[in-house]
DNA sequence: ATGAAAGCGCTAACAG
DNA sequence: CTGTTAGCGCTTTCAT
């Protein structure tokens, strides 16, 4: 018999049922010691040969690899992860939305974030695990190297547990005061300012704001940006808030912005799905868009985007995801990124709902 | 000092920098041996006490747990996974769609499948990992206990690798001939029959079919069901196929179904996003819906569902996901489910696009 | 260039 | 009831 037995058959012939304890189960997956035994090297050498550490003769490496291929050896990812203390997985937690905890995929921003984060992570050799928000217990069962917390509520329970476990995570700009924190997000204050300026350029003197009643960072920043703009431009502040969970409440809030003698000449909402609620409210109140009131919203459900002819603020979820994954990956690979706070630009897509056709 | 030091401070006081090799890094996470040392028990006892194996005196268990709590001990999930050979994760792979590999979230069926699978998995203590389709290499880096392959192409490379690794997986009904395979899916043939029967009940004598040119199970089954229905009912077969990737080709295919003297009186498409393509094609060809042609489609993008007034076939993605996770979880927990092939019902939602208002 | 051996942190079998 | 010990499968020194 030659020194290099080839194929799984030869392997089985030479090592018939290598099982130690319970007889009969010859179907156990081959381990690295099987490879080593057949290739007539030690496990250490086999490991080096397979991982290409360079310190093994090319002839023996070839032999070891040949054997590994022949018996279809696959290293145990579990053991390897354990040994290297890396699982190559990152968690992504998205805040609850619309009552149901997983409703968020209906919001284009989060769907895009998830897609892009998954793609970007995989490209770098990480898999993405979808985590529930506010459920730190899950971290006791599963393994992640790092995490991305999208739009955490100010007291998200996950973050504390992650800190305790020493798992690095990226969150939004709400943690910017901590220079060590990893932050990626939009400058929502600037975004709102852009929208308001656009409204004004179209002749609107007053702008109303439809906000969620949540306490996420984007909410507070958007509100702050709005208030600042109003103050600087001598415009009245007109804010309505309602729970994102409750479309009826949202619709009523929209109605409040469309009625009364002092109703604003333009309305913006940070809640994408509320975009068409604004359109419906305008219709209910016999206001023509854009003639009587200008409208815009941040993101919008994917389908029917064009049909709605709605001016939108693109938060560039793909960029956010890419930056977040990049920042996390660098940190996990001990590259100590210098720019740990990253602000992603927003883009205003002007469409019919905010373009004055007749001068007022 | 009492026998039970409380709090991390006491711990650090008593065991100042327990590090063995490199001095100075006192920030290493406490392990089970730290807990054991402080609680004055062996690691085995500590493990039993923490995992509630029942064989330890309640007094000592209390003490051990108290210590663990005090020093904020968290078991290494990596080590535990390694030891128990379980990672509590399942992979979900969804076929590529629309060119971009992650575009599928725009398709409501897949978005719902992902949401529901994630929720169901977490409820059972599993986390869900989003896997790319046709990329078996990823399985060499990450750890999963099982997998769900949604709509695999007939030669999906993932399945072979999963078999090799001994990772159980659920796929669709295309593997029903293997009694050991785990299968969950809709009976697409029956679904198409339902749609055709509905069309006929509304007076349509002929039904056209707009299909993807893919080779997924739902495609072949839908086509087969359609052909069978036509044969049984003496209706002409009129099938157009186009790549889901290519909306232009899809639109052209839709046009072909709307023109000519022998154009069908009703059209169904299995591709949700093509639903409104059918509507547009009808408009282009001056056909009124539903007067001149009846329309229906399987699933539809989430937003604007009501506005489109389109009859849809609900594939009940949530049920599919729940059954798939259930089947997988049972298998992983060695419960050897008897019903390894599970067929999920579909539901026809009749709306305006297929309801004859005037009798023809 | 290669082999031998020491663990990673934890669980589980066995011994007391 | 509790302590001791043997690994899980692999990577990584340290010798040779």
């Amino acid at each position: 018999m030659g020194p290099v037995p080839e194929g799984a058959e030869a392997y089985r012939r030479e090592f018939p049922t290598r099982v130690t304890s319970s007889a009969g189960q010859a179907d156990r997956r081959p381990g690295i010691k099987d490879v080593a035994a057949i290739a007539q090297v030690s496990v250490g050498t086999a490991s080096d040969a397979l991982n290409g550490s360079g310190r093994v003769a090319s002839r023996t490496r070839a032999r070891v690899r040949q054997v590994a291929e022949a018996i279809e050896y696959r290293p145990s990812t579990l053991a390897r992860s354990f040994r290297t203390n890396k699982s190559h997985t990152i968690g992504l937690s998205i805040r609850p939305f619309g009552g149901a905890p997983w409703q968020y995929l209906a919001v284009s921003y989060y769907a895009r974030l998830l897609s892009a984060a998954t793609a970007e992570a995989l490209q770098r050799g990480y898999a993405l695990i979808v985590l529930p928000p506010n459920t730190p217990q899950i971290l006791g069962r599963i393994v992640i190297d790092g995490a991305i917390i999208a739009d955490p509520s100010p007291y998200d329970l996950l973050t504390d547990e992650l800190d305790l476990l020493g798992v690095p995570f990226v969150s939004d700009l709400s943690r910017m005061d901590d220079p060590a924190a990893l932050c990626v997000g939009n400058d929502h204050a600037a975004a709102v300012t852009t929208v308001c300026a656009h409204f004004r350029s179209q002749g609107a003197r007053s702008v109303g704001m439809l906000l969620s009643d949540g306490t996420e960072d984007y909410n507070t920043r958007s509100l702050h940006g709005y208030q600042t703009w109003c103050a600087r431009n001598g415009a009245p502040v007109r804010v309505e808030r309602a729970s994102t969970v409750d479309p009826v409440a949202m619709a009523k809030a929209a109605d409040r912005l469309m009625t009364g003698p002092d109703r604003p000449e333009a309305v913006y909402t940070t809640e994408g799905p509320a975009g068409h609620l604004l359109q419906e409210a305008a219709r209910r109140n016999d206001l023509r868009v854009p003639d009587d009131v200008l409208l815009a919203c941040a993101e919008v459900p994917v389908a029917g985007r064009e049909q709605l002819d709605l001016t939108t603020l693109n938060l560039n979820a793909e960029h956010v995801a890419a930056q977040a994954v990049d920042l996390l990956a660098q940190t996990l690979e001990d590259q100590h990124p210098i720019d740990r706070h990253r602000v992603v630009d927003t883009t205003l897509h002007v469409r019919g709902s905010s373009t004055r056709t007749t001068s007022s």
Side-chain angles (χ1 to χ4, degrees), chain A:
Chain A
M1 182 179 284
V4 183
E6 288 178 11
E9 282 66 30
Y11 166 65
R12 294 216 186 79
R13 235 179 298 121
E14 190 166 9
F15 300 86
T17 57
R18 264 190 82 80
V19 285
T20 47
S21 52
S22 53
Q25 54 169 16
D27 59 348
R28 140 187 156 283
R29 269 181 55 199
I32 197 170
K33 55 177 64 160
D34 296 303
V35 177
I38 303 176
Q40 325 234 38
V41 293
S42 70
V43 284
T45 306
S47 174
D48 285 337
L50 292 169
N51 296 326
S53 333
R55 40 161 288 196
V56 49
S58 58
R59 262 183 57 79
T60 47
R61 175 170 58 228
R63 184 157 42 96
V64 170
R65 292 201 164 159
Q66 201 175 333
V67 169
E69 178 127 351
I71 67 174
E72 291 186 315
Y73 164 73
R74 294 289 184 280
S76 158
T77 40
L78 222 35
R80 177 177 282 179
S81 293
F82 173 54
R83 188 69 238 288
T84 61
N85 209 29
K86 253 122 195 58
S87 68
H88 296 283
T89 54
I90 62 181
L92 172 63
S93 166
I94 297 182
R95 70 178 183 118
F97 182 90
W102 304 103
Q103 189 76 12
Y104 59 72
L105 281 188
V107 181
S108 72
Y109 176 76
Y110 293 122
R112 289 167 57 189
L113 195 71
L114 175 57
S115 306
T118 307
E120 185 72 20
L122 281 165
Q123 199 147 3
R124 292 166 171 270
Y126 293 88
L128 190 135
I129 297 188
V130 185
L131 295 181
N134 257 301
T135 315
Q137 306 89 287
I138 189 67
L139 298 176
R141 316 206 89 222
I142 61 147
V143 187
I144 53 175
D145 292 343
I148 298 171
I149 316 286
D151 286 337
S153 67
Y155 303 107
D156 195 302
L157 299 171
L158 270 179
T159 57
D160 291 343
E161 189 70 11
L162 289 169
D163 276 331
L164 180 60
L165 292 170
V167 173
F169 62 90
V170 174
S171 72
D172 60 20
L173 302 183
S174 58
R175 296 178 168 245
M176 283 244 279
D177 48 348
D178 176 2
L182 307 176
C183 301
V184 172
N186 303 111
D187 184 347
H188 288 98
V192 168
T193 304
T194 305
V195 173
C196 289
H198 164 66
F199 280 148
R200 172 142 293 195
S201 79
Q202 296 294 309
R205 277 157 306 186
S206 56
V207 176
M209 182 89 160
L210 177 58
L211 273 181
S212 156
D213 62 355
T215 46
E216 289 82 13
D217 183 61
Y218 80 89
N219 262 319
T220 54
R221 276 175 201 270
S222 298
L223 179 57
H224 185 251
Y226 170 71
Q227 289 170 329
T228 305
W229 183 85
C230 288
R232 290 223 181 110
N233 291 272
V237 172
R238 191 74 159 72
V239 176
E240 294 290 344
R241 310 189 76 150
S243 166
T244 321
V245 180
D246 187 352
V248 176
M250 270 284 175
K252 281 184 183 165
D255 272 332
R256 290 196 294 275
L257 286 165
M258 305 283 181
T259 50
D262 60 338
R263 65 165 183 81
E265 299 174 9
V267 179
Y268 174 67
T269 180
T270 53
E271 302 296 311
H276 84 276
L277 290 182
L278 288 181
Q279 293 182 305
E280 287 174 6
R283 202 174 313 130
R284 269 198 301 276
N285 292 281
D286 293 319
L287 300 178
R288 288 163 305 165
V289 178
D291 306 87
D292 300 321
V293 63
L294 303 176
L295 299 182
C297 70
E299 301 277 332
V300 109
V302 175
R305 201 183 323 208
E306 304 79 12
Q307 288 111 317
L308 291 174
D309 198 27
L310 203 50
T311 290
T312 57
L313 185 79
N314 188 344
L315 301 177
N316 292 324
E318 288 81 6
H319 290 32
V320 173
Q323 289 298 325
V325 171
D326 179 68
L327 192 50
L328 198 52
Q330 283 196 32
T331 304
L332 292 176
E333 286 151 19
D334 293 319
Q335 292 174 12
H336 302 288
I338 25 169
D339 51 336
R340 283 188 288 264
H341 301 347
R342 301 188 184 174
V343 178
V344 174
D345 283 340
T346 57
T347 327
L348 188 66
H349 293 272
V350 177
R351 299 202 185 84
S353 72
S354 71
T355 315
R356 272 276 154 79
T357 48
T358 65
S359 60
S360 61

PDB file of all heavy atoms in Angstrom, chain A residues 324-340:
ATOM      1  N   ALA A 324     -21.329  50.785   9.900  1.00  0.00           N
ATOM      2  CA  ALA A 324     -21.441  50.092  11.183  1.00  0.00           C
ATOM      3  C   ALA A 324     -20.670  48.779  11.159  1.00  0.00           C
ATOM      4  O   ALA A 324     -19.898  48.470  12.074  1.00  0.00           O
ATOM      5  CB  ALA A 324     -22.915  49.843  11.517  1.00  0.00           C
ATOM      6  N   VAL A 325     -20.860  48.033  10.088  1.00  0.00           N
ATOM      7  CA  VAL A 325     -20.152  46.755   9.987  1.00  0.00           C
ATOM      8  C   VAL A 325     -18.659  46.994   9.887  1.00  0.00           C
ATOM      9  O   VAL A 325     -17.853  46.301  10.529  1.00  0.00           O
ATOM     10  CB  VAL A 325     -20.657  45.951   8.770  1.00  0.00           C
ATOM     11  CG1 VAL A 325     -19.789  44.735   8.529  1.00  0.00           C
ATOM     12  CG2 VAL A 325     -22.103  45.531   8.986  1.00  0.00           C
ATOM     13  N   ASP A 326     -18.283  47.974   9.115  1.00  0.00           N
ATOM     14  CA  ASP A 326     -16.860  48.276   8.961  1.00  0.00           C
ATOM     15  C   ASP A 326     -16.232  48.623  10.307  1.00  0.00           C
ATOM     16  O   ASP A 326     -15.186  48.098  10.682  1.00  0.00           O
ATOM     17  CB  ASP A 326     -16.689  49.440   7.982  1.00  0.00           C
ATOM     18  CG  ASP A 326     -15.234  49.819   7.810  1.00  0.00           C
ATOM     19  OD1 ASP A 326     -14.490  49.006   7.231  1.00  0.00           O
ATOM     20  OD2 ASP A 326     -14.837  50.900   8.267  1.00  0.00           O
ATOM     21  N   LEU A 327     -16.890  49.486  11.015  1.00  0.00           N
ATOM     22  CA  LEU A 327     -16.377  49.911  12.323  1.00  0.00           C
ATOM     23  C   LEU A 327     -16.263  48.727  13.268  1.00  0.00           C
ATOM     24  O   LEU A 327     -15.262  48.544  13.965  1.00  0.00           O
ATOM     25  CB  LEU A 327     -17.336  50.965  12.894  1.00  0.00           C
ATOM     26  CG  LEU A 327     -16.906  51.773  14.098  1.00  0.00           C
ATOM     27  CD1 LEU A 327     -15.532  52.358  13.880  1.00  0.00           C
ATOM     28  CD2 LEU A 327     -17.923  52.868  14.354  1.00  0.00           C
ATOM     29  N   LEU A 328     -17.269  47.910  13.263  1.00  0.00           N
ATOM     30  CA  LEU A 328     -17.280  46.752  14.145  1.00  0.00           C
ATOM     31  C   LEU A 328     -16.197  45.758  13.748  1.00  0.00           C
ATOM     32  O   LEU A 328     -15.441  45.256  14.589  1.00  0.00           O
ATOM     33  CB  LEU A 328     -18.657  46.092  14.081  1.00  0.00           C
ATOM     34  CG  LEU A 328     -19.021  45.143  15.198  1.00  0.00           C
ATOM     35  CD1 LEU A 328     -18.818  45.789  16.551  1.00  0.00           C
ATOM     36  CD2 LEU A 328     -20.465  44.693  15.032  1.00  0.00           C
ATOM     37  N   ALA A 329     -16.101  45.491  12.470  1.00  0.00           N
ATOM     38  CA  ALA A 329     -15.112  44.521  11.992  1.00  0.00           C
ATOM     39  C   ALA A 329     -13.703  44.992  12.338  1.00  0.00           C
ATOM     40  O   ALA A 329     -12.875  44.218  12.811  1.00  0.00           O
ATOM     41  CB  ALA A 329     -15.263  44.319  10.483  1.00  0.00           C
ATOM     42  N   GLN A 330     -13.443  46.257  12.112  1.00  0.00           N
ATOM     43  CA  GLN A 330     -12.114  46.781  12.454  1.00  0.00           C
ATOM     44  C   GLN A 330     -11.832  46.595  13.931  1.00  0.00           C
ATOM     45  O   GLN A 330     -10.736  46.195  14.326  1.00  0.00           O
ATOM     46  CB  GLN A 330     -12.027  48.258  12.083  1.00  0.00           C
ATOM     47  CG  GLN A 330     -11.841  48.502  10.607  1.00  0.00           C
ATOM     48  CD  GLN A 330     -11.381  49.922  10.332  1.00  0.00           C
ATOM     49  OE1 GLN A 330     -10.676  50.523  11.139  1.00  0.00           O
ATOM     50  NE2 GLN A 330     -11.788  50.457   9.206  1.00  0.00           N
ATOM     51  N   THR A 331     -12.806  46.892  14.732  1.00  0.00           N
ATOM     52  CA  THR A 331     -12.617  46.747  16.176  1.00  0.00           C
ATOM     53  C   THR A 331     -12.367  45.294  16.547  1.00  0.00           C
ATOM     54  O   THR A 331     -11.473  44.978  17.341  1.00  0.00           O
ATOM     55  CB  THR A 331     -13.868  47.262  16.919  1.00  0.00           C
ATOM     56  OG1 THR A 331     -14.105  48.610  16.528  1.00  0.00           O
ATOM     57  CG2 THR A 331     -13.659  47.198  18.415  1.00  0.00           C
ATOM     58  N   LEU A 332     -13.134  44.405  15.955  1.00  0.00           N
ATOM     59  CA  LEU A 332     -12.983  42.991  16.275  1.00  0.00           C
ATOM     60  C   LEU A 332     -11.634  42.464  15.812  1.00  0.00           C
ATOM     61  O   LEU A 332     -11.092  41.530  16.397  1.00  0.00           O
ATOM     62  CB  LEU A 332     -14.102  42.187  15.600  1.00  0.00           C
ATOM     63  CG  LEU A 332     -15.505  42.438  16.129  1.00  0.00           C
ATOM     64  CD1 LEU A 332     -16.529  41.656  15.322  1.00  0.00           C
ATOM     65  CD2 LEU A 332     -15.592  42.071  17.600  1.00  0.00           C
ATOM     66  N   GLU A 333     -11.113  43.070  14.780  1.00  0.00           N
ATOM     67  CA  GLU A 333      -9.827  42.598  14.275  1.00  0.00           C
ATOM     68  C   GLU A 333      -8.685  43.436  14.827  1.00  0.00           C
ATOM     69  O   GLU A 333      -7.588  43.468  14.249  1.00  0.00           O
ATOM     70  CB  GLU A 333      -9.862  42.629  12.740  1.00  0.00           C
ATOM     71  CG  GLU A 333     -10.714  41.487  12.186  1.00  0.00           C
ATOM     72  CD  GLU A 333     -11.370  41.826  10.851  1.00  0.00           C
ATOM     73  OE1 GLU A 333     -10.898  42.768  10.190  1.00  0.00           O
ATOM     74  OE2 GLU A 333     -12.360  41.158  10.498  1.00  0.00           O
ATOM     75  N   ASP A 334      -8.951  44.109  15.929  1.00  0.00           N
ATOM     76  CA  ASP A 334      -7.920  44.858  16.660  1.00  0.00           C
ATOM     77  C   ASP A 334      -7.207  45.886  15.806  1.00  0.00           C
ATOM     78  O   ASP A 334      -6.011  46.077  15.917  1.00  0.00           O
ATOM     79  CB  ASP A 334      -6.888  43.888  17.257  1.00  0.00           C
ATOM     80  CG  ASP A 334      -7.512  43.034  18.334  1.00  0.00           C
ATOM     81  OD1 ASP A 334      -8.297  43.565  19.127  1.00  0.00           O
ATOM     82  OD2 ASP A 334      -7.203  41.829  18.377  1.00  0.00           O
ATOM     83  N   GLN A 335      -7.981  46.501  14.926  1.00  0.00           N
ATOM     84  CA  GLN A 335      -7.346  47.525  14.097  1.00  0.00           C
ATOM     85  C   GLN A 335      -7.554  48.917  14.693  1.00  0.00           C
ATOM     86  O   GLN A 335      -7.151  49.913  14.105  1.00  0.00           O
ATOM     87  CB  GLN A 335      -7.913  47.471  12.677  1.00  0.00           C
ATOM     88  CG  GLN A 335      -7.509  46.191  11.959  1.00  0.00           C
ATOM     89  CD  GLN A 335      -8.198  46.068  10.617  1.00  0.00           C
ATOM     90  OE1 GLN A 335      -8.801  47.016  10.134  1.00  0.00           O
ATOM     91  NE2 GLN A 335      -8.113  44.893  10.016  1.00  0.00           N
ATOM     92  N   HIS A 336      -8.189  48.959  15.833  1.00  0.00           N
ATOM     93  CA  HIS A 336      -8.367  50.206  16.579  1.00  0.00           C
ATOM     94  C   HIS A 336      -8.652  51.402  15.691  1.00  0.00           C
ATOM     95  O   HIS A 336      -7.797  52.271  15.507  1.00  0.00           O
ATOM     96  CB  HIS A 336      -7.113  50.469  17.427  1.00  0.00           C
ATOM     97  CG  HIS A 336      -6.826  49.365  18.379  1.00  0.00           C
ATOM     98  ND1 HIS A 336      -7.592  49.129  19.495  1.00  0.00           N
ATOM     99  CD2 HIS A 336      -5.897  48.384  18.359  1.00  0.00           C
ATOM    100  CE1 HIS A 336      -7.126  48.084  20.140  1.00  0.00           C
ATOM    101  NE2 HIS A 336      -6.098  47.593  19.480  1.00  0.00           N
ATOM    102  N   PRO A 337      -9.812  51.440  15.114  1.00  0.00           N
ATOM    103  CA  PRO A 337     -10.149  52.560  14.221  1.00  0.00           C
ATOM    104  C   PRO A 337     -10.088  53.894  14.968  1.00  0.00           C
ATOM    105  O   PRO A 337     -10.451  53.971  16.138  1.00  0.00           O
ATOM    106  CB  PRO A 337     -11.584  52.231  13.790  1.00  0.00           C
ATOM    107  CG  PRO A 337     -12.114  51.328  14.849  1.00  0.00           C
ATOM    108  CD  PRO A 337     -10.950  50.533  15.325  1.00  0.00           C
ATOM    109  N   ILE A 338      -9.619  54.884  14.290  1.00  0.00           N
ATOM    110  CA  ILE A 338      -9.518  56.189  14.935  1.00  0.00           C
ATOM    111  C   ILE A 338     -10.845  56.929  14.920  1.00  0.00           C
ATOM    112  O   ILE A 338     -11.237  57.554  15.889  1.00  0.00           O
ATOM    113  CB  ILE A 338      -8.435  57.059  14.258  1.00  0.00           C
ATOM    114  CG1 ILE A 338      -8.256  56.582  12.813  1.00  0.00           C
ATOM    115  CG2 ILE A 338      -7.135  57.029  15.035  1.00  0.00           C
ATOM    116  CD1 ILE A 338      -7.449  57.465  11.957  1.00  0.00           C
ATOM    117  N   ASP A 339     -11.543  56.811  13.777  1.00  0.00           N
ATOM    118  CA  ASP A 339     -12.813  57.532  13.668  1.00  0.00           C
ATOM    119  C   ASP A 339     -13.940  56.628  14.161  1.00  0.00           C
ATOM    120  O   ASP A 339     -14.576  55.927  13.398  1.00  0.00           O
ATOM    121  CB  ASP A 339     -13.061  57.964  12.223  1.00  0.00           C
ATOM    122  CG  ASP A 339     -12.914  56.809  11.246  1.00  0.00           C
ATOM    123  OD1 ASP A 339     -12.207  55.843  11.593  1.00  0.00           O
ATOM    124  OD2 ASP A 339     -13.522  56.859  10.174  1.00  0.00           O
ATOM    125  N   ARG A 340     -14.152  56.669  15.436  1.00  0.00           N
ATOM    126  CA  ARG A 340     -15.155  55.786  16.029  1.00  0.00           C
ATOM    127  C   ARG A 340     -16.552  56.375  15.984  1.00  0.00           C
ATOM    128  O   ARG A 340     -17.515  55.708  16.356  1.00  0.00           O
ATOM    129  CB  ARG A 340     -14.760  55.439  17.473  1.00  0.00           C
ATOM    130  CG  ARG A 340     -13.647  54.401  17.529  1.00  0.00           C
ATOM    131  CD  ARG A 340     -13.419  53.946  18.941  1.00  0.00           C
ATOM    132  NE  ARG A 340     -12.769  54.982  19.717  1.00  0.00           N
ATOM    133  CZ  ARG A 340     -11.458  55.032  19.919  1.00  0.00           C
ATOM    134  NH1 ARG A 340     -10.677  54.115  19.421  1.00  0.00           N
ATOM    135  NH2 ARG A 340     -10.926  56.006  20.627  1.00  0.00           N
TER     136      ARG A 340
END
